[in-house]
Short mmCIF file of all heavy atoms in Angstrom, two decimals:
data_model
loop_
_atom_site.label_atom_id
_atom_site.label_comp_id
_atom_site.label_asym_id
_atom_site.label_seq_id
_atom_site.Cartn_x
_atom_site.Cartn_y
_atom_site.Cartn_z
N THR A 1468 22.00 11.02 -26.01
CA THR A 1468 23.23 11.80 -26.18
C THR A 1468 24.20 11.60 -25.01
O THR A 1468 23.81 11.09 -23.97
CB THR A 1468 22.89 13.29 -26.30
OG1 THR A 1468 21.91 13.59 -25.34
CG2 THR A 1468 22.41 13.62 -27.69
N ASP A 1474 35.06 15.99 -16.16
CA ASP A 1474 36.08 16.96 -16.56
C ASP A 1474 35.48 18.15 -17.31
O ASP A 1474 36.19 19.04 -17.73
CB ASP A 1474 37.19 16.28 -17.39
CG ASP A 1474 36.63 15.47 -18.54
OD1 ASP A 1474 35.40 15.56 -18.78
OD2 ASP A 1474 37.39 14.75 -19.20
N PHE A 1482 29.47 9.70 -9.70
CA PHE A 1482 30.45 8.83 -10.34
C PHE A 1482 31.26 9.69 -11.32
O PHE A 1482 30.68 10.23 -12.27
CB PHE A 1482 29.76 7.70 -11.11
CG PHE A 1482 29.04 6.74 -10.21
CD1 PHE A 1482 27.66 6.64 -10.25
CD2 PHE A 1482 29.74 5.93 -9.32
CE1 PHE A 1482 26.99 5.76 -9.42
CE2 PHE A 1482 29.07 5.05 -8.48
CZ PHE A 1482 27.69 4.95 -8.54
N GLY A 1493 10.53 19.00 -17.43
CA GLY A 1493 9.74 17.77 -17.34
C GLY A 1493 8.28 18.09 -17.54
O GLY A 1493 7.83 19.22 -17.29
N THR A 1500 15.84 16.24 -22.15
CA THR A 1500 17.23 16.67 -21.98
C THR A 1500 17.44 17.96 -22.79
O THR A 1500 16.68 18.26 -23.71
CB THR A 1500 18.24 15.61 -22.48
OG1 THR A 1500 18.17 15.56 -23.91
CG2 THR A 1500 17.95 14.24 -21.90
N HIS A 1521 5.92 15.61 -13.36
CA HIS A 1521 6.69 16.86 -13.45
C HIS A 1521 5.84 17.97 -14.04
O HIS A 1521 4.90 17.73 -14.80
CB HIS A 1521 7.92 16.63 -14.34
CG HIS A 1521 8.77 15.47 -13.89
ND1 HIS A 1521 9.62 15.54 -12.81
CD2 HIS A 1521 8.85 14.19 -14.34
CE1 HIS A 1521 10.22 14.37 -12.64
NE2 HIS A 1521 9.76 13.53 -13.56
N ASN A 1528 2.34 26.66 -8.50
CA ASN A 1528 1.65 27.88 -8.07
C ASN A 1528 1.58 27.98 -6.54
O ASN A 1528 1.72 29.05 -5.97
CB ASN A 1528 0.22 27.94 -8.64
CG ASN A 1528 0.25 28.18 -10.14
OD1 ASN A 1528 1.27 28.60 -10.67
ND2 ASN A 1528 -0.85 27.89 -10.82
N GLN A 1533 3.11 30.95 -1.83
CA GLN A 1533 3.63 31.00 -0.46
C GLN A 1533 4.95 31.79 -0.40
O GLN A 1533 5.17 32.56 0.53
CB GLN A 1533 3.85 29.58 0.08
CG GLN A 1533 4.25 29.54 1.54
CD GLN A 1533 3.23 30.18 2.48
OE1 GLN A 1533 2.03 29.88 2.40
NE2 GLN A 1533 3.68 31.09 3.33
N ARG A 1621 30.04 -3.80 3.71
CA ARG A 1621 30.99 -3.61 2.61
C ARG A 1621 30.42 -2.73 1.51
O ARG A 1621 31.15 -1.97 0.88
CB ARG A 1621 31.42 -4.98 2.07
CG ARG A 1621 32.30 -5.71 3.09
CD ARG A 1621 32.59 -7.12 2.67
NE ARG A 1621 33.25 -7.21 1.38
CZ ARG A 1621 33.23 -8.30 0.62
NH1 ARG A 1621 32.59 -9.37 1.03
NH2 ARG A 1621 33.85 -8.32 -0.53
N GLY A 1648 9.44 -16.28 7.60
CA GLY A 1648 9.77 -15.22 8.57
C GLY A 1648 10.18 -15.78 9.92
O GLY A 1648 10.59 -15.04 10.81
N PRO A 1664 17.27 -7.36 26.35
CA PRO A 1664 16.12 -6.65 25.76
C PRO A 1664 15.88 -5.29 26.41
O PRO A 1664 15.33 -4.39 25.79
CB PRO A 1664 14.94 -7.60 26.00
CG PRO A 1664 15.42 -8.66 26.93
CD PRO A 1664 16.91 -8.68 26.89
N GLY A 1692 5.06 -11.58 14.95
CA GLY A 1692 6.08 -11.94 15.94
C GLY A 1692 6.78 -10.70 16.48
O GLY A 1692 7.11 -10.63 17.67
N ILE A 1709 9.69 6.75 4.32
CA ILE A 1709 10.13 7.87 3.49
C ILE A 1709 9.69 7.64 2.04
O ILE A 1709 9.27 8.58 1.36
CB ILE A 1709 11.68 8.02 3.58
CG1 ILE A 1709 12.08 8.40 5.01
CG2 ILE A 1709 12.21 9.03 2.57
CD1 ILE A 1709 11.47 9.68 5.54
N VAL A 1748 8.05 13.36 10.74
CA VAL A 1748 8.03 12.25 11.70
C VAL A 1748 6.66 12.29 12.35
O VAL A 1748 6.23 13.35 12.82
CB VAL A 1748 9.07 12.44 12.81
CG1 VAL A 1748 9.13 11.21 13.70
CG2 VAL A 1748 10.43 12.76 12.23
N ILE A 1758 6.65 12.67 26.67
CA ILE A 1758 7.36 13.96 26.71
C ILE A 1758 6.50 15.03 27.38
O ILE A 1758 6.99 15.81 28.20
CB ILE A 1758 7.79 14.35 25.28
CG1 ILE A 1758 8.89 13.37 24.85
CG2 ILE A 1758 8.30 15.79 25.23
CD1 ILE A 1758 9.27 13.40 23.41
N GLY A 1761 6.73 14.46 30.89
CA GLY A 1761 8.10 14.46 31.38
C GLY A 1761 8.73 15.85 31.24
O GLY A 1761 8.18 16.83 31.73
N VAL A 1818 15.22 -13.12 -15.02
CA VAL A 1818 14.28 -12.56 -14.05
C VAL A 1818 13.85 -13.66 -13.08
O VAL A 1818 13.27 -14.67 -13.48
CB VAL A 1818 13.05 -11.94 -14.76
CG1 VAL A 1818 11.98 -11.55 -13.75
CG2 VAL A 1818 13.48 -10.72 -15.56
N ASP A 1834 20.94 -15.54 -12.03
CA ASP A 1834 21.89 -16.15 -12.96
C ASP A 1834 21.12 -17.08 -13.90
O ASP A 1834 20.44 -18.01 -13.42
CB ASP A 1834 22.93 -16.94 -12.15
CG ASP A 1834 24.11 -17.36 -13.00
OD1 ASP A 1834 23.89 -17.75 -14.16
OD2 ASP A 1834 25.24 -17.30 -12.49
N LYS A 1839 18.30 -19.24 -10.37
CA LYS A 1839 18.01 -18.84 -8.99
C LYS A 1839 19.15 -18.13 -8.25
O LYS A 1839 18.88 -17.28 -7.41
CB LYS A 1839 17.48 -20.02 -8.17
CG LYS A 1839 18.39 -21.20 -8.06
CD LYS A 1839 17.76 -22.21 -7.10
CE LYS A 1839 18.81 -23.18 -6.63
NZ LYS A 1839 18.77 -24.48 -7.13
N GLY A 1860 15.33 4.93 -23.73
CA GLY A 1860 14.59 6.14 -23.34
C GLY A 1860 13.74 5.92 -22.11
O GLY A 1860 12.62 6.43 -22.00
N THR A 1866 19.53 -1.59 -8.10
CA THR A 1866 20.36 -1.78 -6.92
C THR A 1866 21.41 -2.82 -7.25
O THR A 1866 21.09 -3.88 -7.79
CB THR A 1866 19.49 -2.32 -5.76
OG1 THR A 1866 18.45 -1.39 -5.54
CG2 THR A 1866 20.29 -2.50 -4.50
N SER A 1868 24.19 -5.74 -6.77
CA SER A 1868 24.28 -6.90 -5.88
C SER A 1868 25.23 -6.53 -4.75
O SER A 1868 26.20 -5.81 -4.95
CB SER A 1868 24.83 -8.10 -6.65
OG SER A 1868 26.16 -7.88 -7.02
N ALA A 1883 4.97 7.60 -11.43
CA ALA A 1883 4.08 8.59 -10.82
C ALA A 1883 2.66 8.03 -10.75
O ALA A 1883 2.24 7.26 -11.62
CB ALA A 1883 4.09 9.87 -11.66
N ALA A 1919 32.51 -17.60 -11.59
CA ALA A 1919 31.81 -18.35 -10.54
C ALA A 1919 30.68 -17.49 -9.96
O ALA A 1919 30.78 -16.26 -9.95
CB ALA A 1919 32.79 -18.69 -9.44
#
Side-chain angles (χ1 to χ4, degrees):
T1468 43
D1474 52 8
F1482 294 114
T1500 71
H1521 305 283
N1528 290 343
Q1533 186 60 49
R1621 290 173 58 202
I1709 295 301
V1748 186
I1758 291 169
V1818 171
D1834 192 320
K1839 59 174 198 253
T1866 303
S1868 67

